[in-house]
């Protein structure tokens, strides 16, 4: 948020108290959502696939991968998400990304920090999924970078906001099939030569707001590994959860 926008936002918050982006009820300072809507979120907890982080319908035992992870393993080592991407989570993400509701970011980052404790403990550096400069100019901020900064401040893991670059402007992924999403982001990311030293041989934690098909995260992970990263994990606020089958 710019130096000009911050005082304006504070003045508006005094005159017009923040509303819950889901039900539009007034909320207290730093609450983001009302208590009722927070309670409707669906946390992702164990048992889940150790690689993809998607929940199992039953507990198959520790360290088990899902059939999806074994059939098409991604480039990243582990993915974790705080909640399922349902109507409430979608409202939060859209309010943060498009509605200037930056007051939601600390609460969202708090949920992510709890869900990704083990990933943060292992990480050497936090890297957000970058926006292309054209989209950055239109949107004015990158929500993944904002969440990365908050997670870095809380955990003490340093964040690098320039090592990974989006070098190709791609259409939005909304409405595309899984294969179309993968094709859409192919070749879209690259480790900047000036930032290669910051990922070389390091355990990178990639941050984004939502994991849908996993195409963007996988493409970013491949770019980071090509750039010399030792391992890449992924941490998001919400992820799409389909029917999950544990291996027999």
């Amino acid at each position: 948020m710019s130096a000009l926008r911050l005082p304006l936002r504070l003045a508006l918050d005094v005159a017009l108290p923040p509303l819950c982006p889901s039900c539009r009820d007034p909320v207290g300072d730093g609450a983001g959502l009302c208590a009722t809507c927070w309670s409707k979120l669906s946390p992702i907890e164990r048992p889940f696939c150790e690689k993809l982080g998607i929940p199992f319908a039953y507990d198959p035992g520790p360290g088990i991968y899902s059939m999806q992870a074994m059939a098409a393993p991604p480039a990243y080592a582990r993915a974790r998400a705080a909640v399922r991407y349902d109507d409430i989570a979608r409202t939060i993400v859209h309010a943060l990304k498009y509605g200037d509701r930056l007051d939601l970011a600390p609460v969202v980052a708090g949920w992510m920090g709890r869900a990704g404790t083990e990933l943060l403990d292992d990480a050497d550096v936090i890297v957000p999924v970058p926006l292309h400069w054209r989209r950055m100019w239109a949107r004015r901020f990158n929500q993944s970078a904002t969440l990365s900064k908050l997670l870095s401040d809380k955990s003490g893991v340093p964040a690098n906001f320039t090592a990974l670059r989006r070098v190709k402007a791609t259409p939005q992924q909304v409405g595309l099939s899984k294969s179309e999403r993968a094709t859409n982001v192919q070749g879209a990311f690259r480790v900047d030569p000036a930032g290669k030293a910051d990922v070389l041989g390091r355990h990178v934690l990639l941050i984004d707001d939502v994991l849908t098909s996993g195409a963007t995260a996988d493409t970013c992970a491949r770019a980071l590994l090509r750039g010399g990263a030792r391992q890449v994990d992924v941490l998001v606020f919400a992820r799409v959860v389909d029917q999950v089958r544990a291996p027999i």
Side-chain angles (χ1 to χ4, degrees), residues 79-206:
R80 298 290 183 267
V83 299
R84 295 172 184 249
Y85 190 58
D86 56 15
D87 289 341
I88 299 290
R90 183 184 299 108
T91 299
I92 295 171
V93 169
H94 281 217
L96 173 62
K97 188 183 295 188
Y98 306 116
D100 270 349
R101 287 295 305 270
L102 295 182
D103 58 302
L104 293 168
V107 188
V108 168
W111 278 67
M112 292 173 66
R114 288 188 290 273
T117 299
E118 59 183 332
L119 306 191
L120 286 162
D121 287 344
D122 293 340
D124 297 316
V125 62
I126 293 171
V127 173
V129 171
L131 292 177
H132 189 266
W133 68 265
R134 292 176 186 168
R135 189 164 295 167
M136 182 70 176
W137 182 84
R139 195 181 293 172
R140 296 173 294 174
F141 85 108
N142 179 0
Q143 74 284 349
S144 298
T146 299
L147 295 170
S148 295
K149 175 66 165 59
L150 291 166
L151 287 164
S152 176
D153 290 346
K154 184 70 172 178
S155 66
V157 180
N160 186 300
F161 303 98
T162 58
L164 185 64
R165 295 176 52 213
R166 192 165 196 143
V167 295
K168 185 170 74 172
T170 57
Q172 290 193 351
Q173 300 275 66
V174 178
L176 300 181
S177 68
K178 185 173 183 178
S179 60
E180 289 171 337
R181 285 170 179 263
T183 301
N184 187 43
V185 295
Q186 187 173 4
F189 301 95
R190 184 178 305 158
V191 171
D192 191 293
K196 190 170 183 177
D198 294 312
V199 302
L200 186 64
R202 309 191 81 183
H203 194 140
V204 177
L205 180 57
L206 183 71

Side-chain angles (χ1 to χ4, degrees), residues 24-107:
R24 310 305 295 170
D25 282 348
V27 296
D29 292 342
L33 263 70
C34 70
T36 299
C37 290
W38 277 122
S39 69
K40 292 179 182 178
L41 283 171
S42 301
I44 294 178
E45 299 173 341
R46 280 191 162 85
F48 52 63
C49 170
E50 289 298 322
K51 190 168 190 70
L52 300 182
I54 46 181
F56 289 134
Y58 64 92
D59 190 351
I64 300 298
Y65 285 5
S66 63
M67 296 297 288
Q68 294 95 318
M70 292 190 292
Y76 51 82
R78 298 173 293 179
R80 298 290 183 267
V83 299
R84 295 172 184 249
Y85 190 58
D86 56 15
D87 289 341
I88 299 290
R90 183 184 299 108
T91 299
I92 295 171
V93 169
H94 281 217
L96 173 62
K97 188 183 295 188
Y98 306 116
D100 270 349
R101 287 295 305 270
L102 295 182
D103 58 302
L104 293 168
V107 188

Side-chain angles (χ1 to χ4, degrees), residues 1 75 214:
M1 183 177 290

